[in-house]
Amino acid sequence: MILTMERTTRQRQAIRDALQQADRPLLASEVLEQAKLAVPSLGIATVYRTLKTLVAEESLQIVALPGENPRFEFAHGHHHHFCCQACKRVFDVHACPGDLSRLVPKGFRIANHELTLYGKCPDCA
Amino acid sequence: MILTMERTTRQRQAIRDALQQADRPLLASEVLEQAKLAVPSLGIATVYRTLKTLVAEESLQIVALPGENPRFEFAHGHHHHFCCQACKRVFDVHACPGDLSRLVPKGFRIANHELTLYGKCPDCA
DNA sequence: ATATGTGCAAAGCATTTGCGGAGAT
DNA sequence: ATCTCCGCAAATGCTTTGCACATAT
């Protein structure tokens, strides 16, 4: 199951670039749309295959919001997300609440956590 | 689009019961499986229709985790979730990190937050 | 009696996969 | 030259919907 991405191709470069140049997590369809500007023949299957591999490598992480398709972004250190309830944009938040082990009942072991904040961004407030 | 759930039926009662008796968010398939015990003829379409209506009414909330199908649970006050990385079950966590406004840059207004903890549950640790 | 609700099967979407051909090494 | 990778189209898997019948009111 572990794909190795042995080769460098125009399609993969275009997909990486699309994600790297975005300042927010992208939908698979948004990645396709953006990467097609560089490689018009690009197919959605290649986008999904590449996203899956990059997620498996932990180069990318998935941002899942209720009722929406998954978004993808390059892992860039531990961080969280702020979802504006007005404009629906998702922003990175680089602060972290820190150790949360006090929150779980005895017997549970926390390895990681994800935090999503909801509210209004400066533009919409 | 707004369905009103005017009538009480065995199927709706079974679906409500399944969710109410569970101590954790359930997949649509789990709701079906459980509710079928009470109403064997129940179909998945009715489950989805009922879940959708209950979510629209804000009686239910969706729990979305990366790479997994949505889960549903009755809204029961502010709480969070723990996802076991081994057995993939999701548990409720009734503690809360509290005020998180210190985490966001100036100009952002936090109305709500969602926290998902990952690790091992007592059974899998 | 009548309009809503249900089950079935088909349709819709997002995502995955098989395959023959294209391209990186 | 070889083996990976790509695009296409078919196949999945989850969710939604159309329709005719069942049922709560």
Side-chain angles (χ1 to χ4, degrees), chain B residues 7-9 28 44-45 48-49 52 69-70:
Chain B
R7 297 181 184 180
T8 303
T9 63
I44 188 67
Y48 278 113
R49 274 190 284 240
K52 187 163 212 184
N69 292 331

Side-chain angles (χ1 to χ4, degrees), chain B residues 29-49:
Chain B
S29 58
E30 293 174 322
V31 173
L32 177 64
E33 181 184 12
Q34 192 57 35
K36 256 184 183 268
L37 300 178
V39 183
S41 68
L42 182 63
I44 188 67
T46 298
V47 171
Y48 278 113
R49 274 190 284 240

Side-chain angles (χ1 to χ4, degrees), chain B residues 73-110:
Chain B
E73 72 179 347
F74 267 93
H76 56 288
H78 181 73
H79 67 282
H80 299 298
H81 296 104
F82 182 99
C83 177
C84 178
Q85 292 170 321
C87 68
K88 298 294 178 192
R89 281 185 301 175
V90 177
F91 301 85
D92 280 358
V93 172
H94 291 282
C96 176
D99 181 38
L100 296 168
S101 54
R102 66 196 157 83
L103 299 182
V104 294
K106 200 175 293 185
F108 286 84
R109 284 220 188 139
I110 297 181

